[in-house]
Amino acid sequence: MRFDQRHLLGIEPLRPDEITTLLDLAERYVTLSRARDKHANALAGLTQINMFFENSTRTQSSFELAGKRLGADVMNMSMQASSIKKGETLIDTALTLNAMHPDLLVVRHPHSGAVDLLAQKVNCAVINAGDGRHEHPTQALLDALTIRRAKGRLHRLNIAICGDIAHSRVARSNLLLLHKMENRIRLVGPSTLMPSGIADFGAEVYDNMEKGLKDVDVVMMLRLQKERMDGGFIPSEREYYHRWGLDAEKLAHAKPDAIVMHPGPMNRGVEIDGTIADDINRSVIQEQVEMGVAVRMAAMDLLARNLRARPTELAV
Ligand code: NCD
């Protein structure tokens, strides 16, 4: 089992066996995170800097906790308050931080491609924590781990990704990952929220929830990314909920044991009915958050092994 990446910038460059290696290691960190003593030393002596240029609750706290559980020195840069506000460019900020010798840089940025650019300028390992509408690899990996645990496998499943596909880096990374692992993917949502050229991704496209959810194993809902819209994409939130919001009636078209997912933050009553989100028999939303910490521990552990040029063979 190998993991040959220097950075984690997206799902696109990963091989299926690297995805499996990462998920298998994450399983061990699920066990560690459930224990009373949650400490391991995979990142001992290393410095991790979290740079979030966009708001985040769960992703940032999850990366912070993951680093601390593995013994890294973790620093959170508040980019709202930093020199960026004074006009310093992304590259200048990166070079300044680089001079402090971080080993792991975790970056979220509103512009697609910004994290890749930054990775070319620094000496450490860079993890993309979401760049514009491009990729959010650790979200797709935590979703994959959640699905694998709930369904017992991560291949030959029927998975519906629903809602605002066009603006969603979560949809893009999930589509890439689930496709690599040989699942059947359906994209369900209004045509105004479907990216152009989507057919090239090898997914089936539906503009009707009842048909799109028919017999699926997994229903993945997405947040309406209003901050990335400039008007005219949806008629009204009420109308959107009526046609595209997940309620019991629409969910009844999926398999009886289908799981419901949402990356958060949720707009209850817009893309999902609150009762379904809270239904512990159907919803795995809390488990997604739990898997997030474990997957980020695994990702940083594997990148750190490569940084130290230690052998990446894993005795799982
Ligand atoms: C997602 C994100 O920021 O891309 N949230 C997350 O990381 N949990 C999804 C979203 O904002 O809708």
Side-chain angles (χ1 to χ4, degrees), residues 119-150:
Q120 293 164 24
K121 307 286 177 190
V122 295
N123 304 320
C124 59
V126 177
I127 301 183
N128 182 359
D131 65 323
R133 47 177 97 170
H134 175 229
E135 279 230 44
H136 190 353
T138 56
Q139 180 70 44
L141 289 160
L142 76 88
D143 289 338
L145 185 59
T146 308
I147 294 171
R148 197 175 77 166
R149 288 168 64 93

Side-chain angles (χ1 to χ4, degrees), residues 54 58-59 108 136 139 169-170 223 225 227 263-265:
E54 240 185 30
R58 72 214 81 216
T59 306
R108 168 169 287 193
H136 190 353
Q139 180 70 44
R169 53 197 176 207
V170 175
R223 183 176 65 88
Q225 310 252 314
E227 74 277 22

Side-chain angles (χ1 to χ4, degrees), residues 28-81:
R28 290 203 239 155
Y29 286 132
V30 174
T31 309
L32 181 72
S33 294
R34 287 181 180 182
R36 185 61 49 88
D37 178 358
K38 299 171 177 55
H39 279 143
N41 61 5
L43 303 182
L46 301 186
T47 299
Q48 171 192 338
I49 301 182
N50 298 333
M51 286 169 86
F52 279 66
F53 295 90
E54 240 185 30
N55 291 340
S56 167
T57 318
R58 72 214 81 216
T59 306
Q60 186 168 351
S61 49
S62 178
F63 268 111
E64 183 175 354
L65 215 48
K68 286 183 171 163
R69 284 190 185 159
L70 293 182
D73 293 315
V74 185
M75 184 175 96
N76 287 305
M77 291 279 298
S78 169
M79 301 318 292
Q80 314 294 333

